[in-house]
Amino acid sequence: MNRVSAIRKNLVRSKKILSAMKRRLVIWAVAVIAFCGFSYLINPFDPVWQSYWETPLKMFIEDALWVFFFSIIISEVSLLIDMMLNKWLPWKDRTIKRLLIQGFLQIVGSVLIVMIINTIVDCTSDNLPEMDSRKEYTLLGQWVATNIVISLIISGLNTVDYLLQNWKKTAVEAAQHKLRASKHKQAAMAAELQALKLQIDPHFIFNNLSVLSELILEDQQLGYEYSEKFARVYRYLLVNSKKDIIAVEEELKFLDSYIFLIEKRIGEGVLFKIDIQEEYRTMYTLPLSLQLLVENAIKHNQISRANPLEIHVYTNSEKELVVANTFLPLLNKPDSSGVGLTNIVARYEILGYTKPIIEKTENKFIVKLPLI
């Protein structure tokens, strides 16, 4: 494993070195082209350019090598200045100050290179052609100007590359930060959704256990059947509460057992009507949504044998699962445990589905759940 890791590190290091070498070669090539081009543009009518066609190949190669060598020196000095300034005075701190200092140092560095090389050539060469001082200063000025232009071009290219790399790095970091924030938000939403799905009204368990104990005393067979339905309902709650969505068919089977418990607990005070079209039974809804809406209707409305609460569960052409109940509000509103309509709406919102539609009239309370 360590060997594989070492090989990977070597490959990465080799790629970085190769990339740096390519970048250096490109910069040197730009410096050579800029040197030759600007030297020609300064004085295109100089007889020297015509004499190049008659120059021996050996002298031409020597001149080309000197141009290449000089261009490399200019490039490396320019890059060194930029590298030092990137460390001591980054662009993000003081842009204008950095620009002025960088330009000044590039000019000073270019002039110093010319002076140093010119001094070395004067001290080491004995057979230099003699020329008048005017022409000598003119050539020296052209050399300095060429050197400054090349230095500024290389510095500009290096600066653009540096800024682009930093922009790319910043963009990647921003994208990673956004991704991390999205993951954190998703995790928080998942935790909130799980908390919502695991909500169980404590009154549901208490009421059904109370009814079960009474039925066992009155009719053991009915009590056994009630306990079976209650176990099936509670098993459904435990198993499917962890799911995000569930088939309508499965939810209806659960609702059938749940209705049995209600009818035995309340009697003729509630009338149910189930009308679900076959084509919608294979679609999906949120688990426990029907149970919560039915429990919500029973909790907030009057229930009596003389005026029973009617609960109608059906589907419509808009691909909605509808739970409608007659509106018979209690005179004294019960304390809400937070389970019911709010739970369903919150789960739809967190999962990113279309929110349920809630309608209230004088006689009806209707909730439309979009089928998934």
Side-chain angles (χ1 to χ4, degrees):
M1 196 70 178
N2 292 333
R3 186 177 180 182
V4 174
S5 179
I7 293 174
R8 288 179 179 175
K9 288 181 179 179
N10 290 332
L11 288 174
V12 173
R13 191 181 299 111
S14 299
K15 287 182 180 179
K16 288 182 179 180
I17 294 173
L18 184 62
S19 177
M21 289 178 62
K22 288 181 180 179
R23 182 171 173 271
R24 274 292 199 280
L25 289 174
V26 170
I27 291 175
W28 293 348
V30 171
V32 171
I33 295 172
F35 184 89
C36 296
F38 194 75
S39 297
Y40 175 79
L41 291 175
I42 286 180
N43 190 3
F45 303 105
D46 194 322
V48 174
W49 302 114
Q50 296 294 330
S51 65
Y52 264 111
W53 298 105
E54 302 171 358
T55 302
L57 181 61
K58 182 180 179 181
M59 292 184 63
F60 183 83
I61 293 174
E62 288 180 356
D63 285 350
L65 290 175
W66 273 108
V67 169
F68 184 69
F69 175 72
F70 188 66
S71 299
I72 291 176
I73 293 176
I74 298 174
S75 301
E76 292 303 315
V77 171
S78 180
L79 292 175
L80 178 63
I81 292 172
D82 287 354
M83 184 177 66
M84 293 171 63
L85 288 176
N86 288 339
K87 183 178 180 181
W88 295 336
L89 188 62
W91 282 100
K92 61 181 180 180
D93 292 345
R94 296 181 180 179
T95 306
I96 302 299
K97 184 177 180 180
R98 165 64 189 267
L99 180 64
L100 295 175
I101 293 177
Q102 181 170 312
F104 175 75
L105 291 179
Q106 294 291 351
I107 294 172
V108 172
S110 302
V111 174
L112 288 175
I113 291 173
V114 172
M115 292 176 62
I116 292 171
I117 293 178
N118 191 55
T119 302
I120 293 173
V121 171
D122 287 342
C123 296
T124 56
S125 301
D126 299 328
N127 55 350
L128 292 174
E130 294 185 3
M131 61 180 70
D132 58 77
S133 57
R134 183 178 178 181
K135 186 175 182 180
E136 183 177 358
Y137 285 123
T138 300
L139 291 175
L140 186 63
Q142 292 175 354
W143 191 9
V144 171
T146 302
N147 198 17
I148 290 174
V149 169
I150 296 172
S151 181
L152 292 176
I153 290 174
I154 298 301
S155 179
L157 290 175
N158 188 54
T159 299
V160 170
D161 180 69
Y162 173 80
L163 295 177
L164 285 175
Q165 291 295 331
N166 274 269
W167 173 79
K168 183 179 178 180
K169 182 180 178 181
T170 302
V172 171
E173 289 177 351
Q176 291 176 344
H177 178 73
K178 187 175 181 180
L179 180 61
R180 286 194 297 268
S182 177
K183 288 182 178 179
H184 291 160
K185 184 178 180 180
Q186 186 177 5
M189 291 174 66
E192 183 181 353
L193 176 62
Q194 190 63 18
L196 287 169
K197 289 189 293 184
L198 291 176
Q199 284 181 333
I200 299 176
D201 192 339
H203 293 94
F204 167 76
I205 301 174
F206 176 77
N207 292 334
N208 282 284
L209 288 176
S210 298
V211 173
L212 178 59
S213 62
E214 292 177 5
L215 287 176
I216 291 174
L217 293 175
E218 295 176 4
D219 187 339
Q220 290 187 359
Q221 181 59 35
L222 185 58
Y224 174 78
E225 189 177 354
Y226 191 92
S227 66
E228 285 291 318
K229 295 288 186 179
F230 178 65
R232 187 179 302 173
V233 167
Y234 199 69
R235 189 184 305 113
Y236 183 92
L237 288 171
L238 295 177
V239 173
N240 295 293
S241 63
K242 297 180 181 179
K243 296 179 180 179
D244 291 339
I245 57 176
I246 194 167
V248 173
E249 182 70 32
E250 293 297 318
E251 185 74 0
L252 289 174
K253 290 179 182 179
F254 161 71
L255 182 63
D256 181 64
S257 298
Y258 184 69
I259 289 174
F260 176 85
L261 300 181
I262 291 175
E263 288 177 341
K264 298 305 177 186
R265 176 162 56 97
I266 300 176
E268 298 178 1
V270 181
L271 297 178
F272 289 95
K273 183 180 179 181
I274 310 298
D275 185 16
I276 305 297
Q277 298 179 35
E278 287 295 329
E279 58 183 302
Y280 297 129
R281 288 177 177 266
T282 55
M283 297 186 72
Y284 290 85
T285 186
L286 302 189
L288 313 181
S289 55
L290 294 181
Q291 180 261 333
L292 289 173
L293 290 177
V294 170
E295 186 73 19
N296 189 71
I298 294 172
K299 184 188 300 183
H300 295 282
N301 289 279
Q302 299 178 34
I303 298 173
S304 65
R305 185 176 298 180
N307 189 17
L309 176 67
E310 297 179 7
I311 300 177
H312 188 192
V313 181
Y314 62 96
T315 51
N316 60 19
S317 59
E318 302 297 326
K319 294 183 179 181
E320 294 172 329
L321 184 59
V322 183
V323 178
N325 62 269
T326 50
F327 189 53
L328 304 168
L330 295 170
L331 298 178
N332 296 320
K333 293 184 178 180
D335 295 332
S336 176
S337 61
V339 180
L341 188 57
T342 304
N343 179 292
I344 296 172
V345 173
R347 281 196 284 161
Y348 265 95
E349 185 176 4
I350 291 174
L351 290 170
Y353 299 125
T354 305
K355 291 183 180 180
I357 299 173
I358 303 170
E359 298 177 356
K360 184 188 293 184
T361 66
E362 292 183 3
N363 303 317
K364 291 279 187 178
F365 186 84
I366 304 169
V367 179
K368 299 178 180 179
L369 304 178
L371 289 173
I372 302 165

